[in-house]
């Protein structure tokens, strides 16, 4: 082997040159390390800003003003709070239009309403206590002078610290006045929709996953093999389709083509056949089911794949049929993983907004949905509509509704993690 | 054993290596002679690789690893707080168990290390020289722009050797460099080592006693202590003597294949 | 599938002795398999449904006589009232929002990925990864709220109220960037993580610093995986709806100013379908033409990304 004389040694930095060269490289390393760390901190700050922004929107001072002072409504010197239901009904009828009175009667006869309900109506319709302006939590704390200047120009006004998130907010239906609006109908709507989504997507998704993991590989027919491969690719592709496209699919297929089914007309379940349409809880649930199906399948496939092959062989070796093996050995071991994936898919569905807007969530619903053929609204839809309003007070209740939504999702995700930790260990 | 200074590159004194609370190597003293091949042999888990990796501070990369004692390189302790592992590794190169070329071209594989170390000379010349020294030039000179991953296992390992010598280190550490290779490729690497030792100090860890006997000038035999499972230097000396008349009964047992 | 085989089996079973080893017809088993196959086939039906629905309505749109395909793909004005259906009015803002989102998400996401994969201690990882997962799990409508009530006022406080409109593509784009950041970082980190440790050892062994190892060895080795993450992120940003519906503005406008309001493709679909829409009108059909375009764009990106990932896996497996 011929080796040329080594001339390259001199080409490397030596001594002092080396010292400063290495130092420069280390400085560079440190700089970039700081950059990488800073990027991570920015990501965390973004999350904190998100949460901060929601919280400051949910609490803060409000300026209140009454249209009619409650004192002027006293009957025989008795304050409003102590009047009987009948007296309150009279006050109500004296101050609001006949038409509105009839509508209220139609919604629920006054004889059936509680005193508290009528009292609320008086406050809402007669006293008409309105929020004139609201301030965020930060303004409430740090810019008191701004608030005070405003209140000085509002002699009749009352300043009050308000949490927009309160018990009544959860249990009252929607209203066109932000301070009286609640998310009761939205919560029920979300629960109904998700119930249908899961009821459809879970069996279909797990079934598809079982087929793809346990059966597809053993199919002999080349055409079927090809089809199975297409199904698998297709599922992966569907997982990346924007959710709004699913909304359009749902609009055409569930809302329009399957209208007789999804509107409930085929069951005679609708009170008024002329206004019935396919924009129902059922359509929404089915649309979201199709949307999360790929997620459920992919997660369930992973869970099934993680079951050791020895279990299958043991089952088959004892003379069990394929399905017996799957049912008795594979599924029990895969179920924690399947459920975890299912819960995660469910929380994705709960947060979905765009497809439901497209299929036509109702904008204004004050009555609880009573079944799959009801019109619906959901929490994210409510948040979207309130956020889109220009008034500050709607932003406040949007923020309060976001807190409810996030708490719901966090609870779900935490339970998924718990499930994974608890049963994950057991199966090992 | 008596060593005079100057002739020796490394001088390890009272070395102890820990992984977390586990002591992997205990109370080791050892000197490595310049421009010679020193082989570390012993059964697996005896700490020979751990000792090798103290020579260029590769142990630093394992978060739980800790070293006490001194590893003197020309009299300077490599584990002094002001010693920069980056500089250490440029002077003390390493070849790993499995060939691990970068997923780059053959040329880039060799040039990369030189470039990050600030090489200012003629890069083509350096790449050719390094590949020639690694006895790979004739096989790859027509495909320098092809991926290093396309070479055979033995060629990949010689590429890794070329890559290691490109920054002109003083010492080459080899951690079982032939364990993933077939006998013919192994032979080529062994021949290469005999060539390289004219210019470099080589320390090799091997499972293969025949290899140690074939290529090395000195041999150190390590063994795991039965009591605390820590690696221990049992015997160190001229290879011929270790293999023909070992002083320690345990060395003899290992060499004659009675255990390990 | 096995009907003829099954009938034969029945005949044989009837004639044969009690304990033979012939194939037996298991109706239950076959039924279950057929049902499970149906479950898998639903996904095919979904795709066919999407293609059919978007295709059919788009066809109606283009055969309505009010717009030609050329006008659609070349026009920059979208005003259904006067029969102008130029997709660029919407596509331009979609691309602009996506570009802004990528300016935020790609560098940040990649930096986070490098930090998590190469620098962070186990402890830091165990805290940061769940934080990013939370960020990824927040519904997009919440991000929309964030864009409108935080990002827009923030931008206005920097650039001035007269420059930044209340609805603008910049705020929407930045927030979409934050939305897809966890996606970019987690996919990129997986790719970086998959690079064999031996390569890092080789680099360190040559005297590389941590940065040189990460940037010049690990990152190039993970190129395909990182590229796939980027492509998926782009696809995700293009299809993102609620943030733009809330924060980017209502009303198509062909503008390159990120501080002006401009409706995107998805934003337009939501606004039109959210209103009182009469079926079989040209407006109704037009959103399906937009939807088809959206579908083709995102599908193409997703397919490319999966091919790129496959390339990446083949390199190391």
């Amino acid at each position: 082997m011929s080796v040329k004389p080594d001339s390259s040694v001199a080409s490397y930095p030596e001594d002092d040159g080396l010292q400063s060269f290495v130092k420069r490289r280390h400085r560079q390393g440190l700089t970039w390390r700081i950059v990488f760390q800073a990027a991570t901190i920015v990501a965390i700050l973004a999350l904190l800003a998100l949460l901060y922004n929601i919280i400051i929107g949910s609490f803060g001072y409000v300026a209140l003003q009454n249209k009619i002072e409650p004192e002027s409504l006293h009957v025989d010197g008795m304050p409003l709070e102590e009047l009987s239901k009948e007296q309150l009904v009279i006050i109500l009828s004296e101050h609001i239009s006949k038409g509105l009175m009839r509508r209220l009667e139609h919604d629920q006869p006054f004889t059936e309403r509680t005193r508290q309900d009528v009292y609320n109506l008086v406050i809402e319709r007669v006293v008409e206590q309105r929020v004139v302006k609201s301030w965020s939590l930060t303004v409430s704390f740090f810019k008191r002078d701004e608030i005070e200047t405003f209140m000085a120009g509002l002699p009749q006004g009352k300043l009050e610290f308000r949490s927009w998130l309160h018990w009544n907010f959860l249990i009252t239906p929607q209203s066109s006045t932000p301070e009286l609006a609640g998310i009761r109908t939205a919560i029920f709507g979300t629960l109904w929709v998700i119930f249908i989504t899961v009821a459809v997507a879970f069996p279909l998704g797990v079934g598809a996953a079982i087929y793809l993991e346990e059966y597809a590989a053993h199919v002999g027919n080349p055409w079927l093999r090809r089809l199975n491969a297409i199904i698998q690719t297709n599922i992966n592709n569907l997982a990346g389709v924007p959710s709004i496209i699913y909304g359009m699919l749902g609009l055409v297929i569930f809302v329009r083509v399957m209208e007789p089914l999804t509107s409930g007309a085929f069951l005679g379940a609708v009170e008024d056949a002329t206004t019935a349409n396919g924009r129902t809880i059922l359509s929404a649930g089915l649309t979201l089911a199709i949307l999360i199906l790929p997620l459920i399948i992919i997660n369930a496939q992973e869970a099934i794949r993680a079951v050791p092959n020895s279990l299958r062989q043991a089952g088959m070796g004892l003379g069990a049929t394929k399905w017996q093996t799957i049912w008795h050995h594979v599924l029990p071991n895969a179920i924690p993983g399947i459920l975890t994936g299912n819960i995660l898919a469910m929380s994705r569905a709960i947060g979905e907004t765009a497809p439901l807007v497209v299929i036509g969530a109702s904008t204004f619903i004050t009555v609880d949905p009573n079944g799959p053929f009801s019109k619906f609204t959901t929490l994210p839809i409510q948040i979207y509509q309130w956020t889109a309003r220009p008034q500050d007070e709607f932003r406040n209740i949007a923020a309060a509704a976001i807190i409810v939504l996030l708490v719901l999702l966090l609870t779900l995700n935490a339970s998924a993690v718990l499930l994974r930790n608890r049963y994950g260990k057991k199966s090992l | 054993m008596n060593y005079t200074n100057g002739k020796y590159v490394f001088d390890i004194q009272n070395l102890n290596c820990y992984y977390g609370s586990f002591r992997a190597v205990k109370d080791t003293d050892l000197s490595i002679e310049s421009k010679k091949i020193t082989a570390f042999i012993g059964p697996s888990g005896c700490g020979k690789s751990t000792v090798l990796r103290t020579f260029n501070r590769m142990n630093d990369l394992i978060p739980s690893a800790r070293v006490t004692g001194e590893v003197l390189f020309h009299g300077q302790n490599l584990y002094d707080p002001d010693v920069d592992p980056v500089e250490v590794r440029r002077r003390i190169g390493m070849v790993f168990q499995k060939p691990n070329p970068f997923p780059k071209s053959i040329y880039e594989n060799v040039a990369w290390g030189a470039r990050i170390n600030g090489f200012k000379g003629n890069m083509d010349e350096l790449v050719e020289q390094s590949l020639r020294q690694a006895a790979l030039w004739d096989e790859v000179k027509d495909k320098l722009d092809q991926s290093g991953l396309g070479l055979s296992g033995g060629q990949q390992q010689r590429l890794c050797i070329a890559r290691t010598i490109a920054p002109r280190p003083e010492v080459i550490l080899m951690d079982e460099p032939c364990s993933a290779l077939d006998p013919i490729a192994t032979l080529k690497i062994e021949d290469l080592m005999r060539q390289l030792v004219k210019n470099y100090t080589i320390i090799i860890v091997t499972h293969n006693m025949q290899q140690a006997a074939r290529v090395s000038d000195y041999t150190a035999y390590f063994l795991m202590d039965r009591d605390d499972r820590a690696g221990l230097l049992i015997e160190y000396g001229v290879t011929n003597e270790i293999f023909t008349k070992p002083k320690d009964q345990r060395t003899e047992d290992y060499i004659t294949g009675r255990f390990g | 599938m096995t009907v003829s085989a099954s009938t034969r089996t029945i005949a044989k079973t009837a004639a044969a002795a009690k304990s033979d080893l012939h194939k037996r017809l298991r109706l239950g088993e076959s039924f279950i398999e057929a049902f499970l196959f149906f479950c898998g086939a639903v996904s095919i039906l979904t795709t066919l449904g999407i293609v059919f629905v978007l295709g059919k309505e788009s066809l109606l749109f283009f055969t309505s006589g009010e717009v030609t395909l050329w006008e659609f793909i070349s026009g920059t004005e979208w005003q259904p009232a006067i029969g102008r259906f130029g997709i660029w009015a919407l596509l331009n803002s979609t691309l602009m929002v996506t570009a802004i989102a990528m300016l935020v998400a790609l560098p940040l996401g990649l930096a986070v990925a490098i930090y998590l994969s190469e620098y962070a201690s186990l402890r830091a990882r165990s805290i940061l990864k769940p934080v990013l997962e939370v960020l990824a799990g927040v519904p997009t409508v919440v991000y929309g709220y964030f864009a409108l009530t935080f990002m827009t006022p923030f931008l206005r406080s920097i650039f001035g109220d007269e420059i930044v409109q209340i609805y603008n593509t910049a705020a929407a784009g930045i927030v979409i960037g934050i939305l897809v950041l966890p996606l970019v970082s987690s996919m990129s980190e997986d790719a970086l993580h998959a690079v064999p440790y031996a390569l890092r050892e080789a680099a360190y062994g040559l005297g590389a610093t941590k940065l040189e190892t990460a940037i010049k060895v690990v990152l190039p080795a993970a190129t395909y995986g990182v590229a796939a993450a980027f492509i998926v992120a782009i696809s995700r940003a293009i299809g993102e709806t609620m943030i733009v519906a809330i924060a980017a503005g209502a009303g198509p406008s062909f503008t390159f100013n990120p501080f002006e309001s401009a409706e995107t493709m998805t934003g337009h679909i939501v606004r039109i379908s959210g209103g009182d829409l009469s079926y079989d009108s040209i407006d109704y059909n037009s959103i399906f033409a937009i939807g088809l375009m959206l579908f083709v764009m995102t599908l193409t990106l997703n397919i490319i990304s999966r091919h790129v990932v496959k390339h990446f896996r083949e390199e190391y497996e």
Side-chain angles (χ1 to χ4, degrees):
Chain A
M1 192 167 52
S2 70
V3 176
K4 285 188 207 161
D6 198 343
S7 62
S8 54
V9 176
S11 301
Y12 282 102
E14 284 299 333
D15 301 329
D16 286 355
L18 180 66
Q19 287 282 318
S20 67
F21 174 67
V22 173
K23 220 179 236 166
R24 203 175 68 231
R25 284 162 65 204
H26 277 303
R27 219 169 24 239
Q28 216 175 24
L30 185 68
T31 315
W32 279 96
R33 189 200 168 100
I34 292 169
V35 169
F36 297 144
Q37 249 163 349
T40 312
I41 291 168
V42 167
I44 296 169
L45 282 182
L47 179 65
L48 292 179
L50 187 81
L51 297 177
Y52 160 84
N53 186 48
I54 292 160
I55 288 170
I56 62 160
S58 306
F59 307 93
Y61 278 109
V62 290
L64 297 167
Q65 199 169 25
N66 296 332
K67 195 172 152 199
I68 297 176
E69 291 303 321
E71 288 77 25
S72 66
L73 294 173
H74 290 182
V75 179
D76 309 329
M78 272 227 289
L80 211 52
E81 294 84 35
E82 292 170 23
L83 294 178
S84 70
K85 183 176 136 189
E86 288 68 31
Q87 285 168 309
L88 288 169
V89 173
I90 294 168
I91 293 176
L92 198 60
S93 63
E94 279 168 0
H95 286 85
I96 66 174
S97 71
K98 290 223 165 56
L100 182 56
M101 203 61 191
R102 264 202 305 279
R103 215 188 77 206
L104 292 171
E105 178 74 26
H106 177 79
D107 285 352
Q108 195 181 10
F110 281 100
T111 49
E112 288 173 21
R113 289 176 186 258
T114 60
R115 186 197 161 274
Q116 185 62 38
D117 192 17
V118 180
Y119 176 79
N120 288 345
L121 278 174
V122 171
I123 297 292
E124 179 186 343
R125 302 287 177 181
V126 184
V127 176
E128 280 196 40
Q129 189 179 64
R130 290 290 175 266
V131 172
V132 187
K133 191 169 170 58
S134 72
W135 292 276
S136 73
L137 194 59
T138 31
V139 176
S140 301
F141 278 142
F142 300 114
K143 293 189 181 160
R144 279 302 291 268
D145 47 334
E146 190 182 297
I147 297 174
E148 265 149 36
T149 327
F150 181 86
M151 292 311 287
L154 200 71
Q156 292 288 314
K158 206 172 87 185
L159 190 66
E160 191 184 285
F161 189 83
R162 171 172 292 207
S163 158
W164 293 90
L165 180 65
H166 49 86
W167 180 244
N168 272 338
F169 180 69
L170 299 179
I171 58 162
T172 40
Q174 225 185 336
S175 161
S176 52
T177 7
E179 53 271 41
L180 299 171
I183 49 173
R184 179 195 175 94
T185 42
I187 290 177
F188 277 115
T190 291
L191 293 178
W192 268 107
V193 170
I194 291 308
F195 172 74
I196 288 173
T197 301
V198 172
V200 173
F202 182 67
L204 275 182
V206 176
I210 295 172
Y211 178 76
L212 290 170
E213 286 302 311
E214 302 289 332
Y215 289 89
H218 307 290
V219 167
N221 184 332
W223 285 101
L224 202 56
R225 281 188 89 91
R226 185 98 194 88
L227 184 63
N228 290 336
I230 292 174
I231 291 179
Q232 184 68 66
T233 315
N234 185 50
I235 287 168
N236 294 336
N237 281 335
L238 279 179
V241 171
S243 59
I244 192 168
I245 302 283
Y246 286 97
M248 304 179 88
L249 177 72
L251 174 63
V252 173
I253 301 295
F254 299 131
V255 175
R256 295 192 61 196
V257 176
M258 291 166 66
E259 178 164 345
L261 182 72
T262 51
S263 66
F266 78 109
L267 284 176
V270 275
E271 293 157 23
D272 186 357
T274 51
T275 61
N277 63 30
R279 306 186 160 198
T280 56
I281 283 176
L282 183 58
S283 294
L286 291 175
T287 305
L288 291 187
I290 297 286
L291 189 150
I292 62 168
L293 204 50
L295 283 181
I296 293 189
I297 296 174
I298 290 168
N299 282 328
Q301 274 186 285
E302 258 168 41
I304 293 170
R305 215 175 296 147
V307 176
N309 239 336
S310 55
L311 271 178
R312 295 184 184 88
Q313 284 159 1
M316 301 286 252
L318 287 171
T321 63
K322 185 152 202 146
W323 178 248
Q324 283 168 332
T325 309
I326 294 170
W327 185 251
H328 293 290
H329 301 291
V330 178
L331 280 186
N333 278 281
I335 208 76
I338 292 176
L339 285 181
T340 308
N342 192 53
I343 293 174
L344 293 178
M346 196 165 125
S347 46
R348 160 93 193 269
I350 289 176
E352 274 301 339
T353 322
L356 299 187
V357 177
V358 173
I359 68 164
S362 303
T363 40
F364 194 77
I365 289 193
T366 52
V367 210
D368 293 347
N370 56 10
F373 306 117
S374 300
K375 292 191 173 74
F376 71 98
T377 181
T378 65
L379 265 179
I381 296 279
Q382 259 340 288
I383 293 166
Y384 168 50
Q385 275 155 5
W386 285 336
T387 306
R389 299 284 193 95
Q391 301 99 314
D392 282 342
E393 299 81 62
F394 280 107
R395 303 269 166 82
N396 294 131
I397 55 175
I402 287 174
I403 292 184
V404 175
L405 180 65
L406 289 184
V407 167
L408 181 68
L409 292 179
L410 214 61
T411 317
L412 271 176
N413 289 349
S415 61
V417 171
L418 278 182
L419 193 77
R420 189 170 53 194
N421 290 348
R422 184 159 177 184
Y423 292 94
K425 276 181 203 132
K426 213 174 170 187
S427 66
L428 278 176
Chain B
M1 273 173 277
N2 290 317
Y3 298 107
T4 47
N5 277 335
K7 205 175 148 195
Y8 297 99
V9 177
F10 283 111
D11 194 9
I12 287 183
Q13 288 172 1
N14 197 23
L15 179 76
N16 284 275
C17 303
Y18 302 83
Y19 294 112
S21 58
F22 170 67
R23 177 150 73 162
V25 174
K26 69 173 174 187
D27 308 333
T28 298
D29 296 279
L30 186 73
S31 297
I32 304 289
E33 197 177 318
S34 175
K35 304 257 166 81
K36 296 278 187 239
I37 298 178
T38 306
F40 289 1
I41 61 169
S44 32
C46 67
K48 56 192 190 302
S49 273
T50 305
V51 173
L52 186 77
R53 281 162 181 253
T54 60
F55 288 127
N56 69 342
R57 293 190 53 174
M58 283 304 269
N59 283 338
D60 290 20
L61 302 180
I62 301 158
S64 66
R66 199 160 48 82
V67 168
T68 64
E70 288 188 325
V71 181
L72 300 174
F73 177 59
H74 294 302
Q76 186 184 18
N77 184 7
L78 292 182
Y79 282 87
D80 265 353
D82 64 334
V83 166
D84 180 359
V86 167
E87 263 187 88
V88 170
R89 292 179 198 135
R90 132 127 164 75
R91 287 161 188 249
I92 303 160
M94 186 158 191
V95 176
F96 300 85
Q97 194 166 356
K98 255 182 77 186
N100 55 353
F102 299 126
K104 299 172 188 280
S105 70
I106 293 169
Y107 184 97
E108 270 306 305
N109 259 286
V110 181
W112 193 82
R115 197 173 293 134
I116 57 154
N117 283 301
F119 180 72
K120 288 282 189 303
N122 184 338
M123 187 63 85
D124 292 351
E125 201 177 296
L126 177 74
V127 169
E128 181 178 339
Q129 259 181 21
S130 305
L131 284 168
R132 276 188 193 282
Q133 287 191 13
L136 191 61
W137 174 251
D138 293 332
E139 290 159 65
V140 301
K141 64 183 175 205
D142 299 324
K143 48 177 183 180
L144 290 175
D145 55 343
Q146 289 177 23
S147 170
L149 294 168
L151 299 173
S152 73
Q155 288 174 323
Q156 286 192 7
Q157 196 61 301
R158 275 178 284 148
L159 177 62
C160 291
I161 292 172
R163 178 177 72 185
T164 306
I165 55 186
R168 296 295 176 251
E170 194 180 332
V171 183
I172 302 173
L173 308 175
M174 295 188 170
D175 191 356
E176 300 188 31
C178 303
S179 66
L181 305 181
D182 62 67
I184 295 171
T186 300
L187 190 65
K188 278 192 179 163
I189 303 270
E190 287 175 6
D191 286 347
L192 176 58
M193 283 163 65
R194 293 303 330 170
Q195 289 294 328
L196 289 172
V197 77
K198 293 171 187 161
N199 297 310
Y200 303 95
T201 306
I202 295 176
I203 309 172
I204 174 173
V205 162
T206 176
H207 266 311
N208 181 336
M209 274 183 297
Q210 283 76 22
Q211 185 171 55
R214 279 195 301 265
V215 299
S216 72
D217 303 299
Y218 295 95
T219 297
Y221 172 58
F222 289 83
L223 185 63
M224 191 198 289
D225 193 307
R226 277 169 197 277
D227 300 329
D228 57 3
R229 305 180 63 79
L232 194 61
L233 176 64
I234 300 294
E235 191 169 350
Y236 179 37
V238 176
T239 299
N240 247 333
E241 289 178 15
I242 293 270
F243 280 90
T244 50
K245 37 183 194 270
K247 296 190 184 74
D248 197 292
Q249 184 60 41
R250 291 168 291 185
T251 316
E252 191 174 344
D253 287 348
Y254 182 68
I255 284 162
T256 53
R258 252 180 273 167
F259 83 156
Chain C
M1 293 158 281
T2 54
V3 179
S4 64
S6 318
T7 38
R8 212 167 45 232
T9 321
I10 293 174
K12 280 189 183 169
T13 321
K18 268 181 192 171
S19 62
D20 69 340
L21 293 172
H22 283 114
K23 268 194 179 171
R24 202 164 305 174
L25 173 70
R26 298 184 198 277
L27 254 183
E29 292 277 322
S30 308
F31 176 76
I32 287 168
E33 184 168 351
F35 171 73
L36 295 176
F37 174 75
F38 163 76
C39 293
V42 166
S43 78
I44 296 276
L45 292 180
T46 307
T47 308
L48 291 179
I50 290 173
V51 172
F52 172 75
V53 163
L54 296 179
K56 182 187 152 230
E57 301 288 341
S58 304
L59 201 66
L60 287 176
F61 175 66
F62 289 117
T63 53
S64 66
E66 295 199 38
V67 61
T68 64
L69 186 61
W70 175 247
E71 282 164 17
F72 179 76
I73 57 168
S74 65
T76 57
E77 197 183 0
W78 186 280
Q79 283 189 321
I82 56 167
R84 294 282 170 79
F85 294 96
I87 190 67
W88 280 100
L90 302 167
L91 183 56
N92 179 59
S93 39
T94 290
L95 295 179
M96 211 157 73
V97 165
T98 304
I100 295 169
M102 292 307 113
L103 281 180
V104 173
L106 301 190
L108 273 184
L110 186 58
V112 171
I114 293 174
Y115 179 72
L116 284 179
S117 151
E118 306 298 312
Y119 289 86
S121 64
L122 275 177
R123 222 179 104 78
R125 277 170 62 92
S126 70
I127 296 168
L128 289 170
K129 292 202 77 162
V131 168
L132 289 171
E133 273 172 40
V134 169
L135 208 52
V138 173
T140 56
V141 69
V142 178
Y143 279 99
Y145 175 88
F146 179 63
L148 186 63
T149 62
F150 182 89
M151 199 50 77
T152 299
F154 180 68
L155 291 178
R156 296 185 109 195
S157 70
I158 295 175
F159 298 102
D161 287 4
E162 61 285 349
I163 292 177
V164 183
Q165 297 183 356
I166 290 193
Y167 299 102
N168 63 76
T169 44
I174 293 170
V175 172
I176 292 180
I178 296 171
L179 171 80
V180 298
L181 192 154
L183 182 84
V184 175
S185 67
S186 86
M187 275 184 77
S188 305
E189 199 221 334
D190 286 348
L192 295 172
H193 221 77
V195 173
Y197 187 70
L199 285 187
R200 294 180 177 83
E201 271 191 334
Y204 286 127
L206 287 169
T209 63
K210 195 156 203 164
L211 176 76
E212 286 157 351
T213 307
I215 300 293
K216 294 180 181 166
V217 172
V218 180
L219 188 58
T223 311
Y224 285 110
V226 173
F230 284 10
I231 297 169
V232 167
I234 294 173
S235 155
R236 186 71 204 280
I238 289 176
E240 173 43 42
T241 308
M242 292 323 292
I243 296 173
V244 287
I246 291 173
S253 112
F254 186 75
T255 171
F256 292 100
N257 183 347
F259 295 133
E260 279 178 17
S261 110
E263 197 167 49
T264 67
M265 291 159 67
T266 51
H268 185 74
I269 296 175
V270 160
R271 183 169 62 87
I272 296 300
S273 57
D276 277 330
L277 182 69
S278 56
Y279 298 146
D280 303 321
S281 64
I282 186 86
D283 280 24
Y284 176 80
N285 292 333
S286 75
I287 64 171
F288 286 87
I290 303 170
L292 182 63
M293 185 136 184
L294 194 64
F295 179 67
V296 170
M297 285 167 75
T298 52
L299 187 68
T300 312
L301 287 171
N302 287 336
I303 289 174
I304 293 175
S305 128
R306 286 198 306 113
H307 272 274
V308 171
V309 164
K310 220 164 107 192
H311 205 302
F312 177 62
R313 290 212 181 112
E314 276 164 3
E315 205 165 329
Y316 292 109
E317 280 167 15

